[in-house]
Amino acid sequence: MRTPGDYVVAAHNTNVVISWNVLRAAAELGINRIAQASSVNVIPLVWTERKDFEYFPLDEDHPCRPDEPYGLSKVICELQADTIVRRYPSMRVASLRLSWSLPRRADALRDDPERRKNDLWGYVQEDSAADAFLLAVTDESGRWSGHERFFITAPDTASEVPSLELWERYWKDVPIKEGNDLSGHKGFFDCSKAERLLGWVHSNPE
């Protein structure tokens, strides 16, 4: 459930219960390759009242401290994947932390960049997101096992404003991680782990 319309019950419970049911059923049926939809909102973004960024670009090592039920539900889904692979070591689970999934970059653009500051102007083209799911369940390179988390976002922002200007305007108190930069329209998410382990690269932005 992508949007927490019911802040108290539905968003959290639906995500958590369905994810566990799928993981457990797969384990009992001997299905050993699973890709589940997580979210960039495991790190407090859109629906939080308190932003908690330690550095940019965000990667899988960044702490997850959600204060709302949607992000919490996705953290729990990832913990459930940790649990299932401990019990069933032959299973391999990828939790794909998707950004806003849309057909085209143009669909994510807004005239006022402040409208999208809370999700860091992120997006992912739907065909590229689908590629990530396919790679997660078909890859036999042996580069990973067990449960892994992956950010799946476009390498650029959905904004015509340069990324450094966005950072200076809205997030200048958040440090840029050493060895990284926000030149041009580079995105605020680091997807290098997905490229390294899955061989996933976002299709050329429009």
Side-chain angles (χ1 to χ4, degrees):
M1 188 170 182
R2 189 174 187 277
T3 302
D6 179 346
Y7 199 84
V8 179
V9 177
H12 175 277
N13 292 2
T14 301
N15 285 337
V16 170
V17 173
I18 289 177
S19 172
W20 177 251
N21 288 345
V22 170
L23 290 171
R24 182 70 191 189
E28 293 179 352
L29 292 170
I31 299 171
N32 290 323
R33 298 290 182 264
I34 303 293
Q36 67 172 356
S38 187
S39 170
V40 295
N41 286 284
V42 293
I43 296 174
L45 288 174
V46 178
W47 295 289
T48 184
E49 294 184 356
R50 181 179 61 88
K51 297 298 179 286
D52 194 22
F53 304 133
E54 293 191 357
Y55 55 81
F56 292 137
L58 301 177
D59 59 21
E60 292 82 3
D61 292 327
H62 194 287
C64 299
R65 294 184 283 254
D67 66 349
E68 46 79 23
Y70 179 76
L72 174 61
S73 74
K74 292 301 186 178
V75 170
I76 293 173
C77 289
E78 294 184 359
L79 291 172
Q80 290 177 162
D82 288 335
T83 298
I84 205 76
V85 299
R86 281 195 292 268
R87 186 64 175 265
Y88 297 91
S90 63
M91 291 185 71
R92 191 182 72 189
V93 182
S95 291
L96 304 181
R97 293 176 172 179
L98 302 171
S99 189
W100 194 10
S101 181
L102 296 161
R104 301 174 303 139
R105 177 179 181 268
D107 297 326
L109 291 172
R110 297 294 182 268
D111 293 334
D112 181 2
E114 187 167 2
R115 291 180 59 190
R116 297 223 38 225
K117 70 174 184 177
N118 287 342
D119 65 356
L120 302 176
W121 309 275
Y123 76 101
V124 60
Q125 291 185 180
E126 291 174 347
D127 55 349
S128 289
D131 287 343
F133 280 93
L134 288 172
L135 286 168
V137 297
T138 61
D139 174 62
E140 297 296 342
S141 66
R143 289 186 291 253
W144 65 288
S145 60
H147 172 227
E148 293 287 353
R149 299 152 171 85
F150 301 96
F151 275 108
I152 302 296
T153 73
D156 63 339
T157 63
S159 175
E160 300 303 340
V161 179
S163 297
L164 269 178
E165 185 176 335
L166 293 171
W167 174 74
E168 290 171 353
R169 192 184 302 181
Y170 300 107
W171 303 113
K172 63 181 179 181
D173 293 334
V174 180
I176 298 173
K177 195 172 182 180
E178 185 176 355
N180 293 269
D181 68 81
L182 293 174
S183 59
H185 292 275
K186 283 186 178 179
F188 286 71
F189 299 90
D190 179 357
C191 296
S192 59
K193 180 180 177 181
E195 181 175 1
R196 185 175 70 254
L197 297 186
L198 297 179
W200 179 80
V201 178
H202 194 272
S203 60
N204 291 332
E206 296 180 0

